Amino acid sequence: MRHPMASPHPAPRLPRAARTRLAWTAAALLAAASLTGCGQESAPSHAAAVTEFNENGVTVRLSVADWKSDAGTLVATFTPDEAGFHLYSTALPAEGVEGVGRPTEVRPVGSLATAGEMTVDKPVKSITVPGVRAALPVYPDGPVTVTLPIRATAPGEAKVLIGYASCSSTEGCTIPVADRAVSLRTGEHGLAFATS
């Protein structure tokens, strides 16, 4: 006896081979979706750490890119406030040349260490200034970006020490900045600059 709500004509069924193909296709799509989800969860992305300060005529912007497995890249961009000012080379001696100049410096300390060679996005050129016999190595006028691979040696407090001086061939030099400390913290959730 037919159920009162049953259709007088049963719905057509797919052939067995078609049902099997449909089941396999659905299983494959579910497996692909679950693998994609797992991949996203196993590689969480952390927002890039960024901070900046302005001191003695230069704005310094620091960021950490590609931080993964306790290593990343420290990027420091030095931008003179006024046109016509340049920064000194990272290769300038710490005491300058005949007492003139201050090297552009980015140095991690504490729970951070250098993990590779420093690179700079501008070429070095030599200039002469009155009263100094030797040529001074400088970058072209305007912003300069220094890139340094870094790694965490342990969770905890760290600092990046920043040094620089900016000069103009017509306006003179700003007061040099030496060992200006920027605080960071390394830990299991990545790296972050201290809030000021």
Side-chain angles (χ1 to χ4, degrees), residues 11 16-17 20-21 31 67-68 76 82-83 101-102 119 142 144-145 150 153 165-166 186:
R16 182 179 188 144
T20 303
R21 278 195 303 275
W67 187 261
K68 186 177 180 183
E82 297 182 40
R102 173 73 174 82
T119 58
V144 174
T145 298
I150 57 172
T153 56
S166 65
T186 60

Side-chain angles (χ1 to χ4, degrees), residues 143-159:
V144 174
T145 298
V146 175
T147 304
L148 180 67
I150 57 172
R151 63 182 175 83
T153 56
E157 299 295 327
K159 286 183 173 36

Side-chain angles (χ1 to χ4, degrees), residues 180-196:
R180 174 31 159 111
V182 178
S183 297
L184 305 95
R185 174 169 270 290
T186 60
E188 61 178 308
H189 299 296
L191 180 149
F193 288 103
T195 55
S196 53

Side-chain angles (χ1 to χ4, degrees), residues 72-97:
T73 304
L74 180 64
V75 180
T77 300
F78 299 79
T79 305
D81 292 346
E82 297 182 40
F85 278 76
H86 60 260
L87 290 136
Y88 289 93
S89 166
T90 58
L92 187 76
E95 66 281 358
V97 173

Side-chain angles (χ1 to χ4, degrees), residues 107-144:
R107 184 165 47 97
V109 295
S111 63
L112 282 177
T114 300
E117 293 296 319
M118 178 183 292
T119 58
V120 183
D121 73 338
K122 297 292 189 303
V124 174
K125 65 178 191 173
S126 295
I127 63 168
T128 55
V129 297
V132 179
R133 293 184 302 263
L136 295 166
V138 302
Y139 298 113
D141 292 354
V144 174

Side-chain angles (χ1 to χ4, degrees), residues 14-124:
L14 290 172
R16 182 179 188 144
R19 288 197 314 268
T20 303
R21 278 195 303 275
L22 188 60
W24 277 108
T25 302
L29 288 173
L30 285 172
S34 66
L35 285 175
T36 302
C38 290
Q40 289 171 347
E41 290 171 12
S42 64
S45 59
H46 299 290
V50 178
T51 192
E52 72 176 41
F53 66 90
N54 182 286
E55 189 171 335
N56 296 357
V58 176
T59 297
V60 180
R61 184 179 192 274
L62 293 169
S63 64
V64 177
D66 306 321
W67 187 261
K68 186 177 180 183
S69 300
D70 298 331
T73 304
L74 180 64
V75 180
T77 300
F78 299 79
T79 305
D81 292 346
E82 297 182 40
F85 278 76
H86 60 260
L87 290 136
Y88 289 93
S89 166
T90 58
L92 187 76
E95 66 281 358
V97 173
E98 298 178 32
V100 174
R102 173 73 174 82
T104 300
E105 183 179 34
V106 177
R107 184 165 47 97
V109 295
S111 63
L112 282 177
T114 300
E117 293 296 319
M118 178 183 292
T119 58
V120 183
D121 73 338
K122 297 292 189 303
V124 174

